[in-house]
Amino acid sequence: MKFSALLVFFGFLLVSCSSGSDRSNNVEAASSQNDSLLAIPTDPIEELSSGQQLALDALDTFQMNTDERGRVYSTFAGLEQPCYPPDTVFTISQAELLVAMNQFVDLHCKNMSVETRTRLAAEAVMAQEEYTLALCTDGSQELSFKNGLPLQGVWVMPYVLGRRDVVLVW
């Protein structure tokens, strides 16, 4: 009698554990699809090239020298940003980012010389060949790509070099 009660107990325990893990796997799968920007890359972080280090240094310089605090900043890679969920996510090239970065620093880094802004913008975009861009406007602005990238809202470039998220507040 004790043996059969014990067998039934372990049977229920086994069933409850397996169905709970199936449920958690389904929740995790749905969550990972919805939060793909927040997923931590599994690739090992390699040592930076001198050009990549120069790009991060240029971003740090902008962070410290914008006319108004908080216009450019970096966070640890994969943190949920205050503006999430983004309105749209797309990929831009290094050349597209350079055009936008030049316009951004012309607007927000007037305390630097034009030559310095131009040089640092060119260095800052050299970290990667293309960037994922999460655009957040809080729905308050209509997105338009007619004249190129929308230079508005908050831009989040997640996992730059797998090390940091870079945020530009237009």
Side-chain angles (χ1 to χ4, degrees):
M1 176 84 166
K2 288 181 184 180
F3 179 73
S4 5
L6 199 54
L7 189 58
V8 169
F9 173 74
F10 282 119
F12 283 123
L13 185 61
L14 181 63
V15 169
S16 67
C17 289
S18 66
S19 62
S21 68
D22 288 345
R23 255 182 281 139
S24 68
N25 287 341
N26 290 340
V27 169
E28 287 174 17
S31 176
S32 70
Q33 288 173 349
N34 293 335
D35 298 328
S36 62
L37 285 176
L38 305 178
I40 297 172
T42 56
D43 297 337
I45 296 176
E46 298 177 13
E47 193 168 328
L48 297 178
S49 69
S50 59
Q52 291 170 326
Q53 186 59 56
L54 197 61
L56 294 181
D57 292 344
L59 288 167
D60 291 342
T61 300
F62 284 136
Q63 181 172 331
M64 301 302 292
N65 292 290
T66 54
D67 300 334
E68 193 179 322
R69 287 180 157 259
R71 289 288 182 176
V72 177
Y73 60 93
S74 299
T75 64
F76 291 107
L79 292 181
E80 184 169 343
Q81 300 299 330
C83 65
Y84 281 177
D87 296 311
T88 188
V89 178
F90 49 93
T91 302
I92 61 173
S93 69
Q94 198 177 74
E96 291 171 311
L97 182 57
L98 178 58
V99 169
M101 186 65 80
N102 277 320
Q103 291 180 14
F104 182 88
V105 297
D106 284 348
L107 285 171
H108 301 294
C109 297
K110 293 178 182 170
N111 59 347
M112 293 181 178
S113 70
V114 173
E115 296 80 21
T116 301
R117 292 191 308 241
T118 303
R119 178 183 53 79
L120 288 172
E123 291 172 0
V125 302
M126 298 306 284
Q128 301 176 171
E129 290 192 21
E130 53 182 33
Y131 297 82
T132 300
L133 178 60
L135 176 60
C136 306
T137 63
D138 293 330
S140 61
Q141 300 164 327
E142 187 176 315
L143 292 178
S144 173
F145 292 83
K146 285 187 268 183
N147 300 322
L149 294 173
L151 306 178
Q152 61 190 41
V154 177
W155 286 20
V156 179
M157 292 175 282
Y159 299 107
V160 173
L161 297 172
R163 295 171 185 253
R164 61 169 83 174
D165 293 354
V166 176
V167 181
L168 302 178
V169 180
W170 285 88

